[in-house]
Amino acid sequence: MSDSQKLDAVFAALANPTRRAILARLAQGEATVNMLAQPFEMSLPAISKHIRVLEKAELITRGKDAQFRPCTLNARPLEDVANWADRYRPIWEARFDAMDRVIEAMRDSKDD
């Protein structure tokens, strides 16, 4: 999978609130599918589908512990997303700085 395809898979995985909640839970430590399913009102097969999407995006890994296959967060793809977004930081900062100047000019003209 190319870097662009990997980034697409991560963004697609993060687009779903259930998958984001699963990642938030895994940030606390590894968990089984049953543990991950507990807070949701959906079937185990539905949770398993979400987990497969997260696995495909390489956001989680699954281990093997006897009959259990605990899930673990892999934060590396999130770092890739952060690095991608950071390339646009100068644009955002410049726009916020321009907006600050406009607001300040409006305050100054209002005070006159």
Side-chain angles (χ1 to χ4, degrees):
M1 200 178 330
S2 72
D3 288 345
S4 179
Q5 289 171 321
K6 288 179 183 179
L7 197 57
D8 289 347
V10 172
F11 278 120
L14 294 174
N16 182 278
T18 299
R19 292 191 287 265
R20 291 192 305 270
I22 290 170
L23 291 177
R25 166 54 186 87
L26 290 174
Q28 299 170 11
E30 73 177 22
T32 64
V33 173
N34 286 335
M35 293 167 69
L36 293 172
Q38 284 177 349
F40 303 104
E41 293 185 19
M42 62 178 68
S43 67
L44 281 177
I47 290 293
S48 292
K49 285 182 183 180
H50 285 295
I51 289 171
R52 280 194 297 276
V53 171
L54 292 168
E55 273 186 295
K56 183 178 178 190
E58 299 179 3
L59 287 163
I60 66 170
T61 58
R62 301 213 32 206
K64 191 151 191 168
D65 183 16
Q67 72 270 25
F68 300 106
R69 295 201 54 215
C71 299
T72 306
L73 176 67
N74 175 22
R76 175 68 187 160
L78 296 174
E79 184 180 341
D80 294 340
V81 168
N83 290 337
W84 176 85
D86 277 344
R87 292 186 296 181
Y88 298 94
R89 182 176 303 276
I91 296 167
W92 301 333
E93 289 175 350
R95 289 181 181 173
F96 286 135
D97 289 346
M99 185 170 57
D100 284 343
R101 288 190 297 275
V102 169
I103 291 170
E104 193 60 38
M106 291 170 67
R107 282 188 190 144
D108 290 346
S109 67
K110 187 177 178 182
D111 290 342
D112 289 342

